[in-house]
Amino acid sequence: MGDPAVSIVLPFRDEAAFLPECLASIRAQTLDDWELLAIDDGSADASPEIVSRLAREDARVRLVRPGRVGLVAALNLGIAESRAPLVARMDADDVMLPERLAAQRDYLDAHPDVALCGTQVELFPADEVRGGYLEYVRWQNACVRPEEIAANLYVESPFAHPSVMARTAVLRAAGGYAEGPFPEDYELWLRLHAAGQRMGKVPRVLLRWRERGARTSRVDTRYAREAFDRVRADHLARDPRLHAGREIAVWGAGRRSRLRARLLMERGISPVTWIDIDPDKIGHRVWGLPVHAPEWLAGRDPRPFVLVYVNNHGARDLIDARLGEMGYVAGEDWLGVG
């Protein structure tokens, strides 16, 4: 047997309640040329036995037991052990739709300039899903083309991590996932973007993404809002677009926007003004910088580079339209910042 087309990297710990459904969805893939690297991160329940049983039935399944090493080390072990040219991420509590692997493999074959692709996702079960996460998934599912993903990368993570498939060589060249006080997936997307790698998305729902209170992103400080803000500011401060000699304007003079923008200022980026629509702020100075109405942007030549720190999705859509009317192009003249 030759190398498989796709290596599925699935770290797990104490997921016996969900693993059978996850594993069944993998075995139901229309693309059957895969290997599964199921990495036990120190489970104390029946999870390893569930995988071991399946491995005895299906030679494509491999149980790896390094002990309790942590998620990042488990992911990097999976990348190192992968035999395929493509690595697909999966979580033990999620469910692949049958055409997921085939669709992503075909997408990457058709787009040799793209290093990584995700899919659109749906949240389940319905009784666990709340409005904020629904809005996030709506936004995420709308970021599809590489240009859209690049323009929105500083807003939030544009991928559900377990929906991602990437070129193995690219992941290895990047050094895999990094360990630190930040979300390991988002940090990797930012690092790949900085290295010039393009990322896209199959415009189909191909993963059912489980919502539950025990989700790691809800209970681990690496996924807190402050952790996202810090790693985002670290990468944004080094973005070449902020070092091209253009004036920088920050849209959003409210307290929350200013506090997030301060992280960028602490990293050496010096805006010349705030932009806001609040008449009580326009004409005043905040932290020594003038506050201007949006019309100020229309009269500048050359155009400043605008960082939109307004965090409400609906408001950001309105700002997008307003900037478009003034001729500002997303990704070239302005960026949204979460």
Side-chain angles (χ1 to χ4, degrees):
M1 294 178 62
D3 291 340
V6 178
S7 294
I8 304 164
V9 173
L10 190 158
F12 67 89
R13 182 169 185 258
D14 296 338
E15 295 286 9
F18 303 113
L19 261 172
E21 185 178 12
C22 171
L23 295 172
S25 76
I26 293 173
R27 297 187 79 195
Q29 292 297 295
T30 58
L31 173 69
D32 60 8
D33 186 14
W34 49 260
E35 67 171 349
L36 171 62
L37 296 162
I39 303 160
D40 175 24
D41 187 22
S43 293
D45 68 357
S47 298
E49 288 73 23
I50 293 170
V51 177
S52 183
R53 260 194 322 269
L54 182 59
R56 289 193 293 270
E57 300 173 12
D58 191 332
R60 298 172 298 177
V61 178
R62 178 180 167 196
L63 174 62
V64 183
R65 305 195 71 179
R68 184 76 171 110
V69 295
L71 176 59
V72 169
L75 289 169
N76 286 335
L77 176 59
I79 294 169
E81 294 286 330
S82 294
R83 295 186 298 127
L86 301 173
V87 168
R89 269 286 285 118
M90 187 59 177
D91 281 343
D93 57 346
D94 297 323
V95 177
M96 293 186 186
L97 273 65
E99 295 183 353
R100 178 203 163 175
L101 296 182
Q104 289 186 283
R105 190 273 311 269
D106 291 347
Y107 178 95
L108 289 169
D109 282 351
H111 299 85
D113 61 323
V114 173
L116 175 152
C117 74
T119 78
Q120 294 176 329
V121 302
E122 66 176 7
L123 290 167
F124 81 108
D127 59 352
E128 292 283 346
V129 178
R130 301 293 179 264
Y133 233 72
L134 278 172
E135 176 58 27
Y136 168 57
V137 168
R138 181 205 66 78
W139 170 84
Q140 187 188 91
N141 282 346
C143 292
V144 173
R145 295 182 298 108
E147 295 76 16
E148 293 168 335
I149 289 168
N152 284 278
L153 191 59
Y154 293 113
V155 175
E156 295 180 54
S157 174
F159 302 108
H161 194 185
S163 80
V164 162
M165 181 182 287
R167 301 188 192 277
T168 310
V170 170
L171 295 179
R172 289 175 177 166
Y177 292 86
E179 189 74 68
F182 44 70
E184 78 291 333
D185 54 341
Y186 188 40
E187 192 277 339
L188 178 58
W189 318 152
L190 289 167
R191 193 154 28 95
L192 291 175
H193 174 73
Q197 300 289 357
R198 285 165 58 81
M199 295 173 280
K201 187 175 292 178
V202 177
R204 295 168 56 191
V205 172
L206 293 169
L207 180 86
R208 302 191 73 215
W209 199 22
R210 188 181 299 273
E211 172 66 321
R212 55 175 173 146
R215 184 200 285 269
T216 304
S217 60
R218 293 197 180 280
V219 299
D220 192 314
T221 57
R222 291 175 298 174
Y223 308 98
R225 180 179 295 277
E226 294 78 11
F228 275 88
D229 289 343
R230 287 192 300 270
V231 73
R232 182 186 295 117
D234 286 342
H235 284 267
L236 181 56
R238 298 192 293 267
D239 192 295
R241 289 169 290 191
L242 274 61
H243 300 276
R246 299 171 69 175
E247 292 180 327
I248 296 173
V250 172
W251 192 314
R255 181 177 178 276
R256 291 183 179 179
S257 297
R258 294 199 313 270
L259 290 177
R260 297 200 319 280
R262 185 164 68 185
L263 291 172
L264 191 64
M265 297 176 191
E266 290 171 351
R267 287 156 174 79
I269 301 301
S270 300
V272 299
T273 189
W274 306 99
I275 303 296
D276 210 287
I277 62 171
D278 184 349
D280 292 334
K281 295 186 178 72
I282 294 168
H284 296 277
R285 300 185 78 85
V286 176
W287 293 356
L289 300 178
V291 181
H292 291 291
E295 288 72 23
W296 181 87
L297 296 170
R300 305 299 289 179
D301 185 21
R303 293 173 183 160
F305 194 85
V306 184
L307 299 173
V308 177
Y309 272 84
V310 176
N311 216 19
N312 178 277
H313 285 292
R316 197 183 299 123
D317 291 341
L318 294 174
I319 294 170
D320 183 348
R322 189 81 171 269
L323 287 169
E325 291 169 0
M326 291 187 278
Y328 283 70
V329 178
E332 296 180 13
D333 300 310
W334 69 274
L335 288 170
V337 185

